[in-house]
Amino acid sequence: MDINDANLQTLTDFLRKTLDPDPSVRRPAEKFLESVEGNQNYPVLLLTLLEKSQDNVIRVCAAVTFKNYIKRNWRIVEEEPNKISDPDRTTVKANIVNLMLRSPEQIQKQLSDAISIIGREDFPLKWPDLLTEMVTRFQSGDFHIINGVLRTAHSLFKRYRHEFKSNELWLEIKLVLDTFAAPLTELFKATIELCQTHAKDINALKVLFSSLTLIAKLFYSLNFQDLPEFFEDNMETWMSSFHNLLTLDNKLLQTDDEEEAGLLEMLKSQICDNAALYAQKYDEEFQPYLPRFVTAIWSLLLSTGQEVKYDLLVSNAIQFLASVCERPHYKNLFEDQNTLTSICEKVIVPNMEFRSADEEAFEDNSEEYIRRDLEGSDIDTRRRAACDLVRGLCKFFEGPVTAIFSGYVNSMLAEYAKNPSMNWKHKDAAIYLVTSLASKAQTQKHGITQANELVNLTEFFVNHIITDLKSPNVNEFPVLKADAIKYVMIFRSQLPKDQLLQAVPLLMAHLQADSPVEHTYAAHALERLFTMRGPNNSTLITPLEMAPFTQQLLSNLFKALSLPGSAENEYIMKAIMRSFSLLQEAIVPYIPTLIGQLTQKLLLVSKNPSKPHFNHYLFESLCLSIRITCKANPTTVGSFEEALFPVFTEILQNDVQEFVPYVFQVMSLLLEIHSDSIPASYMALFPHLLQPALWERAGNIPPLVRLLQAYLEKGASTIATSAADKIPGLLGVFQKLIASKANDHQGFYLLNSIVEHMPSESITQYRKQIFILLFQRLQSSKTTKFIKSFLVFINLYGVKYGAIALQEIFDSIQPKMFGMVLEKIIIPEVQKVSGPVEKKICAVGITKILTECPAMMDTEYTKLWTPLLQALIGFFELPEDDSIPDDEHFIDIEDTPGYQTAFSQLAFAGKKEHDPIGETMGNPKILLAQSLHKLSTACPGRVPSMLTTSLNAEALQFLQGYLQAASVQLI
């Protein structure tokens, strides 16, 4: 693609179409851009367009497209084609920083993100001059440019906050500090001076304070892993300035907006974060500064209002106090009873109140409210911070703190009792206080696992929680109802079973509540209760105990999906899945009705999949319906296919990428239920499953392989007779998979099914080529994973076609090849094979080589007979060798760059482990003894003499044990 006006115009036209709301216009444009993005100069064309176009919408669109293109394609993945040419990479890196700094802010942000994506891969080794190029711009004096550099540096360095320690990371951070720390400090000092110079110029202050906030964020990233020497030496400069900024109050920077945090709040909250980092990690060095920060942050908390715009600041300030109060050598700061009372009264209680902003979120933005409250993304809320502070204080002062709060809880509940409709917020705060006081340790799986013994949870449940749940009007006081449900949910491991059983029908009733938060919490609570385990590891709540409620439970759950705001509610869908799983065959009478509703829902969401968790649980629920119903009556599989195939066809035809891997898994499950042959509807689809395009997507590979295995298991003879022309396509898939380190094991799964199930004559002509391909891969890149799979395959081949056929096919490729495979692969590597079925296949296969292959007894291969037997006995008796060479690191599907639908395994579509040998062979040790006995009968004297001359004593002892157990002896 040349960089000329015609191509720029074409690109402009297609970018404009990608913004069209009409899918028939938008989708083809997106497909076109996808098809040309592999061409040379494509990224350069995008950059040229975003620099030169007169249309601002197109410039922004080009910037976003460029960033997403970089995200998808910049990383070079081993064994995959390099999607961006080297000249394009060089041109992009040479121009992007300059272009980013000259662009308006909207575009600057996109390009800054692109730089950080490139930097993550190329910096510092392949882009050594990136930092120096950025640092020199600090001298420009233009804060639009400086902020562009700071923003880029922030997106580049923030990964230091969560990377694991390693030498590479230390070296990179050291390089960054050597280049960046001093200029950043100078810029910090200069910016603070400029703030004083321009103290009355609002526009200048806005720019300068956004710089200071970015500098404070960079400080956090650069100090996160360890305390750098440079920052330790310059601690006075940084900490004094941070302290001054915390206490600064410039009227010009105060905003009228009650919702949106202003620049002053953002800066101060980041400084609280920085102070908390130092207090937690570098407390010895930070000690001289700590008291003044505690004082400043304390007075900040007392003087800051309840408006939403201060939430982040207040929560970070409280988190600072929380991190300080749980350090043993700061506890003297909090020991005084008056201090504790003051903290409880002035900081904790006011920040636990349910404000009108919370009420608005509860009513109008339920998804966000649930995300914060249930999923723990409330890290920046006042309530969460206050709760953490309670926990921190309880570490050393549990008794006094519990006593102080008990008084508050009682007075709040008394206020509520006086006038519930006016004072319900008092009860809400009381429940929240009790929860934060009682919770010592918590897990997602079990809720609260460790509770404050000074709080009587059961008594509180009986007196104050169950009363709200029993109230006949589920829509009255929805916040208190949600609180009560949440109480049951988080203290489920602490409450006795009879109280949980009492709560179940009450929770079911709340599924009908109008409030999305309330019915979502009810669904979530039920789902959590149904996963609890009893003493013998069965579910705590049994299907029998649920029997009286089954119909009502299913009816209410499905009705809840039709409530406003919950059409794709993942918590309800998960509760449906969990109810099916708990109730098992009790759901069978309801399935004919429910499967229609699930299918209808699937059709609807497939038009625009936007809730991945909801979709996942929907498919899990479908799998459970199929599995449970067909277990009771396998013939019903046809009615499921009738209901589901029209929707599946539509999903496959429209290539709904997110759903295709799920469809293949459900189809595998359905096909595996069929007893003998493959229905025609499946055979019609078979050729389409071999299309190369389907195999390009990593997420499709595991479910497609499983589906092809199901085809082979159920209808290999049908394929051999009516689709023989498709066998090369099937082997083509194997060839593609075997070439990839990430997917070679999937290739072997497919190959093993071909060998096990296909009529031998149908693949005779391909066998030699299969082995040649495997040897080519062994030579080009031999990995432990490949060797293990290869060993299982050749032994399965030996079990299926006989040891003679195995020896002959190796020797037909190259004379004496069989001996080389035994000596270089089977004998030294078999100890690495893992998995009961895989081990059994190898044991039986090696036994056949030892006892059913004449060449092992009277050719040059005979010298390998005893070492092979020794390896087999070692395989039985020694621990598995699970060592992996240092240079082997496999690319995980999740690591592949850019957006690709990753494969999500459906738990309830799980496949039973298949044993190709079955029970017929019995114990492999006994089989070895019997087979050796048979061999020694055929050639008397040979076997004992071979054993006594070269098998080591320990192995011989084990072998004697096998012979005794099998009641046979060698002749």
Side-chain angles (χ1 to χ4, degrees):
M1 291 173 87
D2 296 333
I3 299 166
N4 55 37
D5 291 346
N7 279 340
L8 286 170
Q9 189 53 50
T10 307
L11 191 55
T12 304
D13 295 343
F14 278 102
L15 285 173
R16 186 167 280 116
K17 285 178 186 169
T18 62
L19 303 171
D20 198 299
D22 180 356
S24 63
V25 177
R26 187 178 70 248
R27 288 222 176 104
E30 289 167 349
K31 286 266 188 248
F32 170 79
L33 291 175
E34 216 175 287
S35 70
V36 297
E37 68 177 26
N39 296 354
Q40 191 166 341
N41 286 337
Y42 176 73
V44 186
L45 264 173
L46 279 171
L47 289 179
T48 311
L49 189 62
L50 75 84
E51 184 182 13
K52 296 191 172 162
S53 174
Q54 301 302 307
D55 183 337
N56 204 39
V57 173
I58 292 298
R59 292 181 70 194
V60 173
C61 186
V64 173
T65 306
F66 175 80
K67 180 193 74 179
N68 291 335
Y69 163 81
I70 293 293
K71 198 175 182 180
R72 275 198 308 276
N73 301 308
W74 193 272
R75 177 181 288 185
I76 297 170
V77 179
E78 196 182 346
E79 296 178 5
E80 288 191 15
N82 181 350
K83 294 174 186 166
I84 303 178
S85 68
D86 290 336
D88 280 355
R89 287 174 184 269
T90 310
T91 308
V92 165
K93 285 191 288 196
N95 294 299
I96 189 167
V97 174
N98 211 355
L99 185 55
M100 181 268 294
L101 296 174
R102 292 201 320 270
S103 299
E105 194 169 331
Q106 214 179 353
I107 291 170
Q108 195 178 71
K109 282 182 175 164
Q110 299 297 331
L111 293 181
S112 170
D113 284 351
I115 292 170
S116 68
I117 295 162
I118 297 170
R120 209 170 298 142
E121 301 300 323
D122 290 14
F123 174 78
L125 294 177
K126 295 184 194 166
W127 203 359
D129 53 352
L130 170 63
L131 270 195
T132 37
E133 188 183 350
M134 283 163 55
V135 167
T136 52
R137 306 306 173 99
F138 285 165
Q139 311 304 321
S140 68
D142 177 344
F143 271 85
H144 174 71
I145 288 176
I146 290 169
N147 280 358
V149 172
L150 291 172
R151 202 175 288 119
T152 305
H154 171 52
S155 57
L156 204 54
F157 304 153
K158 69 179 172 195
R159 68 185 178 88
Y160 301 157
R161 302 174 182 197
H162 45 75
E163 289 267 318
F164 286 117
K165 295 183 174 179
S166 68
N167 278 342
E168 289 82 5
L169 185 67
W170 289 130
L171 288 170
E172 184 181 322
I173 293 176
K174 185 182 181 313
L175 174 83
V176 168
L177 290 165
D178 291 347
T179 317
F180 206 78
L184 186 71
T185 307
E186 290 310 311
L187 178 68
F188 183 48
K189 292 194 296 201
T191 310
I192 285 174
E193 275 177 32
L194 285 168
C195 287
Q196 288 157 356
T197 314
H198 297 284
K200 297 203 165 53
D201 179 350
I202 179 66
N203 293 325
L205 284 176
K206 279 182 178 171
V207 176
L208 294 168
F209 267 76
S210 56
S211 306
L212 286 172
T213 306
L214 285 164
I215 291 169
K217 286 175 192 272
L218 285 164
F219 177 90
Y220 190 88
S221 299
L222 295 175
N223 283 272
F224 191 87
Q225 289 281 343
D226 204 351
L227 177 56
E229 196 181 331
F230 178 88
F231 285 105
E232 192 176 349
D233 295 343
N234 288 274
M235 200 182 292
E236 176 60 37
T237 302
W238 283 92
M239 289 305 155
S240 300
S241 300
F242 280 158
H243 180 263
N244 293 339
L245 289 167
L246 261 187
T247 52
L248 174 88
D249 188 16
N250 189 319
K251 295 280 182 284
L252 290 176
L253 287 168
Q254 288 176 357
T255 57
D256 296 332
D257 190 333
E258 290 197 1
E259 301 281 323
E260 199 71 37
L263 288 165
L264 201 54
E265 291 80 51
M266 307 246 284
L267 175 61
K268 286 183 179 185
S269 54
Q270 184 58 49
I271 292 172
C272 289
D273 259 357
N274 295 354
L277 176 75
Y278 266 54
Q280 276 174 316
K281 296 184 86 167
Y282 318 123
D283 43 11
E284 206 177 305
E285 295 83 354
F286 187 57
Q287 208 133 18
Y289 302 94
L290 184 87
R292 65 173 115 152
F293 271 91
V294 170
T295 310
I297 287 172
W298 176 252
S299 60
L300 186 73
L301 281 169
L302 296 185
S303 61
T304 303
Q306 285 280 333
E307 292 84 354
V308 174
K309 67 175 173 183
Y310 299 125
D311 283 7
L312 183 63
L313 172 58
V314 170
S315 77
N316 281 358
I318 298 176
Q319 290 289 4
F320 167 76
L321 289 182
S323 62
V324 171
C325 76
E326 55 185 22
R327 314 289 293 179
H329 45 269
Y330 297 146
K331 80 178 201 190
N332 60 316
L333 293 170
F334 301 90
E335 268 169 345
D336 182 52
Q337 180 77 18
N338 294 332
T339 307
L340 284 176
T341 307
S342 185
I343 290 174
C344 295
E345 190 181 306
K346 294 180 175 156
V347 174
I348 293 169
V349 172
N351 286 299
M352 281 200 176
E353 283 171 8
F354 196 74
R355 299 167 305 164
S356 50
D358 300 317
E359 203 173 342
E360 276 173 35
F362 185 94
E363 289 168 5
D364 305 329
N365 193 356
S366 53
E367 261 187 63
E368 179 63 15
Y369 184 92
I370 292 162
R371 200 171 62 79
R372 286 171 163 240
D373 196 39
L374 270 193
E375 296 169 20
S377 71
D378 59 347
I379 201 77
D380 55 352
T381 64
R382 294 170 181 245
R383 277 192 148 186
R384 170 70 178 270
C387 192
D388 289 347
L389 181 52
V390 173
R391 261 182 226 172
L393 289 170
C394 282
K395 191 169 178 183
F396 295 118
F397 314 109
E398 189 170 62
V401 169
T402 307
I404 293 166
F405 279 137
S406 298
Y408 277 109
V409 169
N410 290 334
S411 68
M412 286 169 175
L413 290 170
E415 281 300 308
Y416 165 74
K418 281 182 204 166
N419 187 347
S421 57
M422 287 294 291
N423 298 339
W424 61 266
K425 286 184 183 178
H426 289 284
K427 182 168 182 179
D428 168 77
I431 296 172
Y432 208 88
L433 255 179
V434 169
T435 306
S436 54
L437 258 184
S439 317
K440 275 186 165 179
Q442 184 168 7
T443 66
Q444 194 70 38
K445 192 173 175 187
H446 302 291
I448 301 296
T449 52
Q450 203 185 344
N452 178 341
E453 286 159 20
L454 304 172
V455 180
N456 189 331
L457 292 169
T458 309
E459 189 183 297
F460 192 82
F461 175 80
V462 172
N463 294 339
H464 304 289
I465 297 296
I466 200 90
T467 47
D468 281 341
L469 292 178
K470 281 182 171 170
S471 145
N473 181 355
V474 293
N475 294 318
E476 187 184 27
F477 303 137
V479 174
L480 293 182
K481 298 281 199 301
D483 289 340
I485 296 167
K486 191 179 174 195
Y487 187 95
V488 174
M489 185 166 58
I490 63 173
F491 291 117
R492 61 187 180 275
S493 296
Q494 310 294 322
L495 295 170
K497 180 177 173 179
D498 60 322
Q499 291 189 346
L500 297 178
L501 281 173
Q502 198 185 347
V504 167
L506 303 173
L507 292 171
M508 284 163 39
H510 286 81
L511 289 168
Q512 297 295 285
D514 294 339
S515 158
V517 175
E518 193 182 331
H519 63 244
T520 299
Y521 280 23
H524 188 45
L526 286 165
E527 189 271 328
R528 294 286 81 196
L529 293 182
F530 293 165
T531 55
M532 291 177 75
R533 295 276 155 195
N536 56 353
N537 208 31
S538 60
T539 53
L540 180 70
I541 295 173
T542 65
L544 200 62
E545 287 164 334
M546 286 304 296
F549 313 123
T550 300
Q551 185 173 356
Q552 197 58 52
L553 172 69
L554 296 173
S555 165
N556 285 10
L557 280 167
F558 275 86
K559 274 189 208 159
L561 283 176
S562 59
L563 290 167
S566 282
E568 292 179 41
N569 186 319
E570 65 187 71
Y571 292 98
I572 298 173
M573 202 69 235
K574 193 177 186 184
I576 289 172
M577 171 194 84
R578 199 70 68 198
S579 303
F580 283 8
S581 172
L582 172 71
L583 297 166
Q584 289 294 320
E585 55 274 12
I587 68 168
V588 172
Y590 308 101
I591 286 298
T593 322
L594 299 182
I595 197 73
Q597 294 183 47
L598 289 171
T599 314
Q600 206 44 46
K601 187 59 81 177
L602 177 59
L603 189 59
L604 214 61
V605 295
S606 68
K607 304 277 188 259
N608 182 21
S610 56
K611 296 279 180 70
H613 290 105
F614 176 85
N615 301 334
H616 186 86
Y617 300 134
L618 171 56
F619 277 102
E620 291 281 21
S621 303
L622 285 169
C623 292
L624 275 163
S625 318
I626 295 165
R627 204 177 261 285
I628 293 165
T629 313
C630 295
K631 186 179 167 190
N633 177 6
T635 56
T636 54
V637 68
S639 54
F640 281 106
E641 287 164 349
E642 237 170 81
L644 290 167
F645 272 25
V647 192
F648 286 180
T649 308
E650 198 167 316
I651 289 169
L652 294 174
Q653 280 172 349
N654 294 331
D655 190 22
V656 183
Q657 290 191 21
E658 297 89 334
F659 283 7
V660 169
Y662 287 128
V663 167
F664 292 147
Q665 287 178 78
V666 181
M667 287 183 70
S668 304
L669 179 64
L670 289 165
L671 184 50
E672 285 156 10
I673 291 165
H674 282 276
S675 49
D676 38 23
S677 61
I678 295 190
S681 53
Y682 286 89
M683 279 315 291
L685 184 67
F686 183 65
H688 301 287
L689 301 179
L690 306 175
Q691 287 173 354
L694 269 182
W695 294 87
E696 289 303 320
R697 284 188 219 137
N700 285 350
I701 290 171
L704 261 178
V705 166
R706 177 182 167 190
L707 183 53
L708 289 180
Q709 284 182 288
Y711 271 89
L712 289 162
E713 190 189 323
K714 298 295 175 186
S717 52
T718 315
I719 292 170
T721 50
S722 66
D725 56 330
K726 296 293 173 277
I727 295 173
L730 198 57
L731 293 167
V733 168
F734 149 74
Q735 185 175 354
K736 177 182 168 55
L737 295 174
I738 218 77
S740 148
K741 277 188 193 174
N743 297 315
D744 50 16
H745 60 294
Q746 296 285 350
F748 276 112
Y749 293 159
L750 188 57
L751 183 59
N752 292 347
S753 288
I754 292 171
V755 165
E756 188 189 343
H757 299 294
M758 287 297 281
S760 62
E761 65 283 0
S762 66
I763 56 164
T764 307
Q765 56 180 313
Y766 307 111
R767 282 187 207 166
K768 189 170 174 181
Q769 187 56 35
I770 289 170
F771 277 87
I772 291 170
L773 283 171
L774 293 174
F775 280 117
Q776 283 170 347
R777 166 63 210 273
L778 262 178
Q779 284 171 326
S780 66
S781 103
K782 175 180 160 187
T783 64
T784 305
K785 178 159 74 96
F786 186 86
I787 291 284
K788 284 161 75 169
S789 300
F790 180 68
L791 282 167
V792 174
F793 163 68
I794 55 181
N795 282 299
L796 180 67
Y797 189 95
V799 171
K800 173 80 179 173
Y801 297 123
I804 298 173
L806 186 66
Q807 175 248 319
E808 284 175 349
I809 196 154
F810 278 131
D811 288 345
S812 71
I813 294 169
Q814 187 185 318
K816 300 185 186 170
M817 169 77 88
F818 183 57
M820 285 189 271
V821 170
L822 287 174
E823 193 177 356
K824 297 281 192 308
I825 297 175
I826 297 182
I827 293 169
E829 304 282 11
V830 73
Q831 206 62 36
K832 290 196 162 108
V833 172
S834 54
V837 173
E838 290 82 352
K839 286 186 155 188
K840 189 174 175 185
I841 292 169
C842 289
V844 174
I846 293 171
T847 299
K848 281 184 173 290
I849 295 171
L850 286 166
T851 60
E852 295 176 17
C853 180
M856 289 297 289
M857 296 303 281
D858 28 276
T859 65
E860 67 269 39
Y861 295 153
T862 310
K863 66 178 189 293
L864 296 169
W865 192 89
T866 322
L868 183 61
L869 178 61
Q870 175 97 24
L872 178 56
I873 295 168
F875 185 54
F876 287 144
E877 304 301 341
L878 295 172
E880 181 191 315
D881 172 9
D882 56 4
S883 60
I884 287 186
D886 293 341
D887 57 347
E888 281 186 31
H889 47 278
F890 299 118
I891 300 156
D892 222 17
I893 286 174
E894 279 71 16
D895 278 355
T896 48
Y899 175 74
Q900 276 204 326
T901 313
F903 167 60
S904 295
Q905 172 78 52
L906 289 168
F908 294 111
K911 185 183 179 188
K912 277 207 214 88
E913 182 150 45
H914 171 63
D915 181 355
I917 289 169
E919 297 306 310
T920 49
M921 296 288 189
N923 181 339
K925 294 178 185 178
I926 304 290
L927 176 73
L928 172 64
Q930 291 167 340
S931 304
L932 285 171
H933 166 70
K934 200 168 156 192
L935 176 68
S936 74
T937 315
C939 39
R942 287 282 308 275
V943 176
S945 73
M946 286 161 84
L947 295 177
T948 47
T949 51
S950 43
L951 193 69
N952 81 24
E954 204 180 349
L956 196 54
Q957 205 176 341
F958 280 122
L959 185 60
Q960 297 297 352
Y962 307 161
L963 293 163
Q964 273 174 359
S967 312
V968 294
Q969 52 190 25
L970 303 178
I971 297 165

